[in-house]
Amino acid sequence: MLINRFNNYSMAGIVVRDGNIGRVALTATGRGSVTYELTEKELKIIAKGAEVLAKMWFGLGARKIIIPHRTLSIIEREEDISILINTILHDPKNLLLGSAHPQSGNRIGTNPNDSVVDTDCRVHGFDNFFVCDASVFPTSVGVNPQITVMAIASIVAARIIKDWKEKFAAIPISSSI
């Protein structure tokens, strides 16, 4: 069993800056629906990253490489890297993906028709509802956004504090939307 050798594991990931290729919407029954498909560009980047990592791991003495793919979960020989690449490129629906830093879901902008928050990170149509995380980025930045998120939050917090008495203190607290 693989778990018996857990202390011998190491991990690496492939970071890809994708385009705005996902969609969040409501279905006819009012339920949330998320669609997301990689483009050929992203698939090629993932395949190349998997190739580089697999060659590195085998070069360092790995005996098995565990792959985040439903139909090809382990390769045991460097000669199987081409199969891995082919599987990623031609069976992307079985590729298991994750995201640690989702960005651009609540895009910042001046037009409520194509953005969620205004230039003060206030949600369009609300007086005192702010979003100040990576979701307000106009597009994905492709790197860890921690410092940028902290800067945005600091700026927004300073603006709220500065305008508290004139704009926000008198707004009644509501128990519902």
Side-chain angles (χ1 to χ4, degrees), residues 1-72:
M1 291 181 71
L2 292 173
I3 196 67
N4 293 333
R5 303 219 7 108
F6 188 74
N7 288 339
N8 300 91
Y9 283 35
S10 189
M11 190 195 103
I14 302 160
V15 178
V16 179
R17 179 181 182 207
D18 61 1
N20 294 319
I21 52 180
R23 179 177 165 87
V24 178
L26 290 175
T27 65
T29 60
R31 298 188 65 171
S33 170
V34 177
T35 56
Y36 179 84
E37 287 188 33
L38 294 167
T39 67
E40 186 177 339
K41 176 184 173 186
E42 286 97 16
L43 283 173
K44 286 180 178 179
I45 292 168
I46 292 170
K48 183 63 176 177
E51 176 186 17
V52 168
L53 287 174
K55 286 181 180 179
M56 178 191 76
W57 289 129
F58 282 126
L60 291 169
R63 292 188 212 139
K64 293 180 183 181
I65 298 176
I66 300 171
I67 312 300
H69 198 281
R70 288 186 185 107
T71 63
L72 178 67

